[in-house]
Amino acid sequence: MTHPFLDLAPLSAGRFAAIEDRVARLLGTGQDVVIMQGEALLPLEGAIRAAAGPGTVALNVVTGPYGQTFGNWLRDCGATVHDLSVPFHTAVSAGQVRQAFTEHPEIDFVSLVHAEAATGNTNPVAEIGEVVRAHGALFYLDAVASVGAEPVLPDEWGVDLCVIGAQKAMGGPAGVSAVSVSERAWARMAANPGAPRRSYLSLLDWKERWTDGGRKALPHAPAQLEMLALEACVERIEAAGLGTVMGRHASAAAATRAGALALGGGLEPYVYEATDAAPVATTLRAPADVDASELVARALESDPALPLAAGGGALAAEMIRVNHYGPDATRGAVQGCLAALGAALAERGLKADPEAARRAAEDAWDRPAGPNLSEA
């Protein structure tokens, strides 16, 4: 008995390298791209542990839970960490980053999340990158949620370590991820005696055993099914056009925000300014005295497949997430979420107007106030 998933010919080094090249083209980068054989937390942690150590002075920008995690990793590496925290309902500004350098000119490493799907905000990486470059610091970026939903341009923005995952806006697998690495970043890793070696976290092992060897022999057996799924995912984006894929996410975000405002019932955008809102997912603040997790649970009873979730951790009681990314960046998904939330609000005795929400979302879909997609 044969099975199409179990009886595939082994993935060759040439095909693995070709998939890396396609990911590099997606990012518009001439830097080395390494596809890591695990979910994006693998390169996110591996890149920090490779590039940071006891002599590192880091500026860690916190606009959501992942920024908090990066600060913990940096401290665990022995780095001196200056956290720049802003409320989760907003974004950090280049001016705030510039001020941090003024107060701590010794900063030589900056960690930033591009889009926080968990809180629904997105940060102005291009402007921040200019500040980081002016001070010569190494720039580490988590673009896992943003890639495919808005422009991600590591070379143009001066990003030295740019980590992406395919499971959100790209609509691909969660089991593999990638990081683009600048020459400066490789040099920083090579000079760091604490960088992971002979470890699953090690980027330097990949460089020495794979990249520097001309990508002729894989260092270990690859995650074949996930690599093929990543290849198919990139092919689909190439066929549709990256600008088209990002446009769908911008439309979904604009429609969700407009529809939620028109729905009423006390529901409102969690991120105050539309310019700070991420196109990958929209977060909403639950009405006063209404538990967000209970409201979401009731809304999902009508259709458990809707991309609705309550916020994580301490945000579960107040935040609703509409995860309109990947295959759910559609009119139907947005309209379904709004209708289900409207019905759940009405059951609580709150005045909601699902028809107004439907019209507002439909109108906004065709005129999204999203990111500048001309760079795609």
Side-chain angles (χ1 to χ4, degrees), residues 350-362:
L350 297 168
K351 186 177 181 181
D353 190 341
E355 178 56 24
R358 186 196 66 77
R359 291 195 305 268
E362 193 65 24

Side-chain angles (χ1 to χ4, degrees), residues 65-363:
Y66 281 99
Q68 294 171 330
T69 297
F70 301 160
N72 293 336
W73 286 338
L74 286 161
R75 291 181 177 90
D76 189 53
C77 291
T80 299
V81 181
H82 300 285
D83 285 324
L84 171 54
S85 300
V86 301
F88 291 176
H89 60 253
T90 187
V92 73
S93 70
Q96 289 171 303
V97 173
R98 186 177 296 107
Q99 180 61 34
F101 274 106
T102 299
E103 295 172 2
H104 304 284
E106 69 277 17
I107 289 169
D108 61 3
F109 184 97
V110 175
S111 51
L112 175 71
V113 178
H114 188 183
E116 286 267 13
T119 50
N121 54 33
T122 191
N123 293 301
V125 182
E127 291 85 350
I128 291 169
E130 291 181 8
V131 177
V132 176
R133 282 198 304 275
H135 289 82
L138 206 72
F139 194 9
Y140 162 102
L141 183 70
D142 171 357
V144 173
S146 56
V147 65
E150 56 187 304
V152 175
L153 302 167
D155 291 11
E156 184 174 321
W157 296 343
V159 178
D160 296 287
L161 292 159
C162 182
V163 178
I164 66 167
Q167 70 268 32
K168 287 189 167 64
M170 288 177 65
V176 288
S177 47
V179 53
S180 65
V181 187
S182 72
E183 288 301 323
R184 289 200 320 148
W186 284 130
R188 179 78 69 96
M189 294 180 204
N192 179 12
R197 302 304 302 267
R198 296 169 297 282
S199 163
Y200 204 59
L201 286 170
S202 177
L203 282 166
L204 285 172
D205 286 358
W206 274 96
K207 174 176 171 53
E208 293 176 2
R209 298 178 60 193
W210 171 245
T211 307
D212 289 352
R215 301 188 298 177
K216 301 297 185 184
L218 286 162
H220 54 71
Q224 172 147 320
L225 295 181
E226 288 82 357
M227 287 296 295
L228 295 176
L230 176 61
E231 181 182 50
C233 161
V234 176
E235 283 179 353
R236 188 163 57 184
I237 293 172
E238 290 171 346
L242 180 57
T244 297
V245 175
M246 291 192 295
R248 284 200 296 265
H249 286 83
S251 293
T256 303
R257 188 178 185 91
L261 287 168
L263 182 62
L267 208 63
E268 59 184 29
Y270 187 86
V271 178
Y272 291 175
E273 301 294 333
T275 52
D276 294 338
V280 68
T282 297
T283 50
L284 305 170
R285 192 178 299 276
D289 302 322
V290 174
D291 185 279
S293 59
E294 294 177 4
L295 191 69
V296 167
R298 186 68 189 94
L300 288 174
E301 288 181 11
S302 63
D303 184 356
L306 289 172
L308 279 173
L315 298 173
E318 65 182 64
M319 179 189 286
I320 298 163
R321 290 173 50 188
V322 183
N323 296 317
H324 47 66
Y325 52 70
D328 288 315
T330 66
R331 295 175 191 259
V334 170
Q335 293 287 14
C337 289
L338 292 170
L341 288 171
L345 288 168
E347 285 187 6
R348 296 293 299 263
L350 297 168
K351 186 177 181 181
D353 190 341
E355 178 56 24
R358 186 196 66 77
R359 291 195 305 268
E362 193 65 24
D363 183 60

